[in-house]
Structure formats: structure tokens, C-alpha cells
Amino acid sequence: MILKTMRKKMSDTLIAYPMDAQETQLPDLPNEIWIKLFTYLTHGDLQQVKLVCKHWCDLCRVPELKRKSKLVITAHNLKDLSQVLKSSPEICEYLQYECLELHGVKVQKDLLTAFEYLGYYIRQLKLHESPVFCVLNDYLPELEELILTRIPSVQSYVNNFSVDLYKFPKFKSLHMSCAGVTYYIKIQLLRNLIYDQCEHLERLSLEFDRTQEDLILYTLELHADSLRQLGIGNHWNSKPSTLIKWQRTFEKFSKLEVLKITGNCGYNWLKIILESLGAENRLRAIDLSGSFELSDDLLKLIVRKWANSVESLDLMFCQCITDDGLKQLGAIKNKLHHLNLAKCRLTAEGLLQGLVENTNYALRSLNLSHITSMAEGCICLLAQRLCNLTTLNLENCYEAVTDSSLYYIFRYLKRLRHLVLDDCIHITDGGLIGADPSKPAISNLKGLQTLSLRGCCNLSNRSLREALNFQELRKLELSYCHNISSSGIEGLVQHCPALEDLTISSCFMLADNSVLQIVLGLPRLRKLNVRNCINYDAHSVGYEMTYTYKTLQELTMNCANTLEV
């Protein structure tokens, strides 16, 4: 199916090649073009592409494409992996992943075996509940990035925390902004960054409180001349005596391209950061999500300083911004590719004047989730003037998203790849299908890859049978669509064969036979969520285990239902 799709997309531009009656000859394109085409594919697609021919298999091993894949080691598969590596070392050729994730893994002999065979290839390491720091030094010579997502307690490993980041000559990225990472680990890693040998740090993401403030300031000062991406989670108001230290530190930055500040850090601290950061830092992405005290004057400062560079702006939960502040975005609207205004207190007037006084060709991604003050007319005008949108989030915009406004989305936003319409309760089957023959249906969005209709309670089986017809749809969310039954699922699997991620939780009319339809009709399914579907029982589990054990990676359902049988 992938090969067929790629041929169709290229048919308008490629020269026709003579074909034998028995076989189809692939276009003789340069490797660079094939690789560029393959970068648009998901990991699952790439695995299928490898099977087409030896040439494509070799192309899929280039670094640009290998980074799209990852090796996940858990407490359940570690022992098997270790045994395979020792008994068949040649398997390493197929496990040379640059990205490795450890989930629930502790220091043990099997982990050392895995590192011994695979450690040389690892560039990015992600640790989730895996406090294995004491064994990293001698096994990952090419490590560039360390990501910590959740390590709440190191217990007996406290005294064995001996990871030395300066031993990784290519190390340049550390992410530990998650609140689930214990205080001790954060302090130890910050102290590691103080070493002179860690002089090429480019990306740093962290959280802090007052007890760590001086250490963080010193760390930032040491790496101010190399950092390109900085994320700070600050949930404390700094003392007036330390504000001058923050000012002096941020005045030393000169290469920042991405700045992320989350949490309610206080107006004065945020103002010091934005004022001290020089315009020579050509910020292309600014994320101030959750900065409740971000005001119109600070937004104006951002627009004035980085009007020529900023391409992405996240202002979710910035509820002090008014329409007057939003209108300032008019100065950068031709630069912005991504804008997140979710849960801001805005009106349609400010939104329209700030973004779409005229047609806006630049914006690609727009998040207006939970802006309940909008009306139908605002959505209609946005759709007409944001013709290049590929991502649109209208979650809980229930007054604005109706069958009438959907008509404008389906007609003008033909490039959409990701659409979120959660809790838009006024949507009906007629809106998705196009009840009036003159009005386009949702199927007009032919390249749609993800669609979320959670809580759209007026939708029924008719939408699944007649509206959702997408050959490229990968992810679909249908939770709390109570009118959906097995009849709709039958149509869904027929018209959306490429689904990899399906959520149909709390759809109470679904029965066991719908599970069988799903697992037989969706061969590429990787994630399935059927939680709170009360009619599912042990037969459902049997179907899923029998037919999807080779492909399904994540299954969510109620254990209680199974145990009752």
C-alpha cells in the first residue's frame, strides 16, 4: 500500500518508464530524493519499505532515517534480549538503533550485556524509572543526549551515582524538566555540567526551586555561550536579591534559538529574562505555556525583539493576554508557522485582527482549544484565510464548531493532516458526511493522518460508514461517542485500513464481534484502547492476543470485565 501511494504521489512529476508485462519498474531516482521521500514515513511504514527491495533496505539504514526508530528495553524483555545477543551476536546488525529507551530497568548483568553489544550505536538515551546511572560511563561512547522522564527514587543507587557527563565527548543535550525526577539526581547532574570538559552543551531542560537557584545560575552562566535550546520550569517567585543575578546571566546568552519557560514564575522574573536576553539570540521558538502573568506589554516586547526570527509561539494558559496584546501578532503573522493559544481569554475580534486581517499563508499549526468565546463566523473566516494549515485544534470550542462551520474547514483547509474536534457537541453525522450535495464532506481532507472526535456524542454509525474514508489516517479517537456500535466499526475498518492507533473507550454499544472486526481488519494496528466498553469480556482478550500479538504494542482495557468471566 505504501508503494502504491508513493507511486501515485509521484506520477505527476516523474518520467514514465517502460514496463515489462510481468513487473513494474521503479523510477530511477537519485538516492537523495528517495531518502527525502522516506523521511515523511512513520517507523511502521519504514519497516515495510525495507521489504520492497535490497536498494530500499539499504537506504532505510542511513542516519536520517534510523533516528526515526528506537529500541525499547523493559524489565520484561531485557533477559530475552541479553540471551539472544550472546547466542547470536550477528543480530546486532539489526539492532543498531541510535535511540534507546529503558523502562523499569535496574542495574543487572543482562543490562551490561545489552550495553556491551549495542552501546556503541546509541546517541540518545531515555530513562523512565530506570536509575542505571552508575553503569553508563564505559558503554556509551557516542552518547549525545540524555532524557529523564520519571525517576522518583534512587533508593540503594544513591551512593552509586557515578555518571560523569564529561566522559561523553559528544554530549550536548540534557533533559530533566520532569517533576517525577528526584531532587538528588537533578543536583548531581547539574554538578556534572559544571565541569569544564562539558563545553559543547547545546540543549538543556530543567526544573528548579529556590534551593537550587544558585547552582542553576552558575550552570547557565558556564554554558551561556554554547546553549541553543533552553527549557526552565519555574514555579517559584525569585527573591528580589537574585533577580539581578538572572539579569547578568541572561545578558551573556548569544546563540539561543529555542526558549521554553513553564510555570507561574512571576511577572518580575519573566520580565527580567525577556529584557536581558539580547536580540542577537535569534529565537525561532518561544514557549511560555502556563505563564499566567505574561501580559500584553511582555508580548509586545517579544514581537519587537524577535519579529524577524520567531516561527513558533506557545501561549497556552497565558490568561492575562487581552485582545490588545493579541493584535500585536499582526507584526509577525507572516513569520509564524505554529501558534498555541489554548485556554487563553480571547475574543473573536482580537483573534481575527491579530492573525487574519488578510490571507495568512505562513501559519501551519493553530491550537484554539477551550476558547469558548468564538462563534461560527470566526471559524469560517479563519478557514478561508489560513489556507496552508496542516494542524488545527478546536477542542471544546462547542459554540463555534457546528455543521455549518465544518463546511468551511472541509472546503478551504484541504492540507490538514491533524484535526482535533473533541467535545464539539453540536457536530452531527450530516456535518461530516456533507448532507447537502453542494457542501464538501470530511473526506475532502484526503491527506488527514490524525483525527480526534472524543465526546462528539451526536455522531453515530453513519459517520463511520459514510464519512470517514481515509487511506492515510493513522490515529483516530472516538471515546464517549455513545451511539457507535459494531455496525459502524465494520465500515471503519473497511475505509481506514492504515489505522495504527485507535481509541474507542466508553463506547458502551460495542460488543465482542467489533473487537474481532478491528483485529482482522486493521493489520497495522499498534495501539488499541477499549477501556470502559462494558460488553467486552474474555473473548475480546482472546481475539486481541490471537490476531495481534505480533503487531500490537499497547492494549488498554478494563481488567475487571475479564476477571468476571
Side-chain angles (χ1 to χ4, degrees), residues 479-482 503-511 528-537 556-561:
S479 299
Y480 299 97
C481 294
H482 303 309
T503 299
I504 49 176
S505 60
S506 299
C507 294
F508 303 129
M509 295 178 64
L510 295 176
L528 177 62
N529 187 335
V530 291
R531 187 176 179 85
N532 293 329
C533 294
I534 58 176
N535 293 320
Y536 285 0
D537 56 22
T556 304
M557 65 185 304
N558 286 47
C559 293
N561 295 340

Side-chain angles (χ1 to χ4, degrees), residues 122-292:
I122 297 170
R123 305 293 189 272
Q124 180 192 86
L125 176 63
K126 186 175 182 179
L127 302 180
H128 182 81
E129 296 187 347
S130 301
V132 297
F133 303 99
C134 62
V135 299
L136 300 182
N137 292 336
D138 301 321
Y139 291 98
L140 310 176
E142 301 295 313
L143 187 67
E144 298 177 5
E145 183 173 15
L146 178 61
I147 303 173
L148 310 182
T149 58
R150 178 173 170 77
I151 306 182
S153 175
V154 290
Q155 299 177 0
S156 61
Y157 299 100
V158 168
N159 297 325
N160 294 323
F161 187 96
S162 59
V163 62
D164 293 319
L165 297 180
Y166 67 87
K167 287 191 174 182
F168 308 110
K170 297 182 180 180
F171 189 81
K172 57 184 178 182
S173 180
L174 174 61
H175 298 262
M176 54 176 183
S177 60
C178 180
V181 179
T182 188
Y183 168 86
Y184 175 82
I185 292 176
K186 292 180 179 180
I187 292 296
Q188 294 301 317
L189 289 173
L190 283 174
R191 289 175 177 171
N192 263 263
L193 292 176
I194 295 176
Y195 287 103
D196 292 337
Q197 291 93 332
C198 257
E199 57 186 13
H200 302 298
L201 192 69
E202 295 182 2
R203 298 185 293 273
L204 176 62
S205 179
L206 47 81
E207 282 190 345
F208 76 96
D209 56 32
R210 289 175 182 170
T211 61
Q212 305 164 345
E213 197 165 13
D214 288 335
L215 179 58
I216 286 178
L217 280 166
Y218 185 47
T219 304
L220 294 179
E221 185 175 358
L222 283 178
H223 299 283
D225 59 346
S226 64
L227 280 173
R228 297 181 181 274
Q229 299 183 21
L230 176 62
I232 300 179
N234 181 7
H235 302 279
W236 303 87
N237 290 325
S238 297
K239 298 178 180 179
S241 58
T242 62
L243 289 179
I244 188 66
K245 297 180 181 179
W246 285 101
Q247 177 182 345
R248 291 172 179 171
T249 299
F250 272 79
E251 285 175 348
K252 297 181 179 181
F253 282 88
S254 60
K255 298 179 180 178
L256 269 189
E257 298 175 0
V258 177
L259 176 64
K260 180 177 181 178
I261 298 176
T262 59
N264 190 19
C265 51
Y267 175 85
N268 291 330
W269 184 85
L270 186 59
K271 183 179 180 182
I272 285 290
I273 299 301
L274 295 175
E275 287 181 342
S276 304
L277 199 59
E280 67 272 15
N281 297 273
R282 295 187 59 80
L283 294 181
R284 53 181 175 81
I286 302 175
D287 186 346
L288 301 175
S289 302
S291 299
F292 295 114

